[in-house]
């Protein structure tokens, strides 16, 4: 399933600036788990519109344990178009035709009853991946482990613990 999604386009018109603030090196507006950022924008230049969603499941369902399915695509598209319009943006491209600059895929893994996430992370800590740095978080702890190269990252973590810590369950 898709977790993080970043989109962009140069095909838009800013009708009103009222809902935007100056942040992230541009004009920014956030609502319902989506952040719209316009960079390199002036009266003479159109700039680029970035649409960022750090967690599609959290934006759609209120937590990141639920999985986004193909059937949720139209809800995502409708939400982008609705919030863009409410923010004073007019997209000159269909939301489903926006360009993708980042996508993070994820998968929930159900463990057998006798296994813990900590046990799995300790087991994974014994392995290395070619051309990847391995790191645990917190430093030396067993909450998560990731392998990172210049272009990719593979992360394993205890999602239930994070949801409890955030008060989502």
């Amino acid at each position: 399933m898709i977790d993080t999604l970043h989109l962009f386009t140069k095909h838009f018109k800013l009708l009103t600036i009222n809902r935007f603030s100056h942040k992230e090196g541009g004009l920014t507006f956030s609502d319902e788990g989506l952040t719209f950022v316009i960079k390199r924008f002036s009266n003479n230049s159109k700039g680029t519109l970035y649409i960022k969603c750090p967690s599609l499941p959290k934006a759609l369902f209120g937590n990141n344990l639920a999985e986004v399915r193909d059937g949720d695509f139209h809800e995502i598209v409708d939400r982008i178009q609705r919030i863009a319009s409410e923010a004073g943006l007019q997209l000159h491209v269909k939301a489903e035709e926006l360009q993708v600059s980042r996508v993070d895929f994820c998968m929930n893994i159900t463990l057998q009853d006798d296994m813990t996430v900590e046990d799995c992370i300790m087991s994974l800590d014994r392995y290395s991946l070619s051309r990847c740095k391995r790191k645990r978080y917190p430093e030396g702890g067993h909450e998560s482990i990731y392998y990172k190269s210049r272009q990719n990252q593979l992360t394993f973590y205890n999602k239930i613990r994070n949801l409890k810590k955030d008060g989502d369950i």
Side-chain angles (χ1 to χ4, degrees):
M1 90 173 163
I2 294 176
D3 183 41
T4 300
L5 182 63
H6 291 189
L7 307 166
F8 71 96
T9 185
K10 291 182 179 284
H11 307 289
F12 72 97
K13 182 176 183 181
L14 181 60
L15 302 174
T16 178
I17 198 168
N18 296 345
R19 305 223 25 214
F20 285 81
S21 60
H22 292 277
K23 285 195 250 181
E24 293 190 38
L27 299 172
T28 302
F29 171 76
S30 295
D31 194 16
E32 296 183 37
L34 295 172
T35 299
F36 296 80
V37 180
I38 303 172
K39 292 194 175 185
R40 293 179 294 282
F41 180 78
S42 69
N43 292 337
N44 300 329
S45 169
K46 285 197 70 140
T48 303
L49 171 66
Y50 297 91
I51 303 169
K52 301 177 181 182
C53 186
S55 176
L56 275 176
K58 193 162 190 166
L60 291 174
F61 310 119
N63 67 66
N64 69 348
L65 187 60
E67 295 188 355
V68 176
R69 305 277 182 209
D70 290 345
D72 300 317
F73 177 74
H74 290 291
E75 185 176 345
I76 295 163
V77 169
D78 290 346
R79 183 172 296 193
I80 290 170
Q81 290 172 326
R82 178 179 52 78
I83 295 173
S85 177
E86 290 171 1
L89 286 166
Q90 186 178 60
L91 298 178
H92 297 298
V93 62
K94 294 179 183 176
E96 58 266 26
E97 295 171 354
L98 293 166
Q99 294 181 291
V100 176
S101 62
R102 175 180 173 179
V103 62
D104 293 357
F105 297 96
C106 66
M107 175 182 283
N108 293 332
I109 300 171
T110 304
L111 300 176
Q112 297 173 359
D113 289 337
D114 60 339
M115 294 180 75
T116 67
V117 174
E118 290 79 11
D119 292 337
C120 294
I121 289 173
M122 285 192 307
S123 294
L124 288 167
D125 196 31
R126 292 183 230 150
Y127 298 96
S128 61
L129 296 176
S130 177
R131 298 185 180 143
C132 289
K133 291 182 181 179
R134 178 183 63 223
K135 189 167 183 172
R136 286 189 292 176
Y137 177 84
E139 195 68 41
H142 303 294
E143 282 191 37
S144 69
I145 188 168
Y146 68 86
Y147 299 89
K148 186 173 184 174
S149 69
R150 287 183 180 200
Q151 296 178 345
N152 299 299
Q153 181 171 318
L154 177 63
T155 305
F156 297 90
Y157 70 99
N158 189 336
K159 188 178 278 192
I160 299 297
R161 179 180 289 157
N162 284 9
L163 289 168
K164 286 179 180 177
K165 194 184 311 181
D166 294 343
D168 289 335
I169 61 170

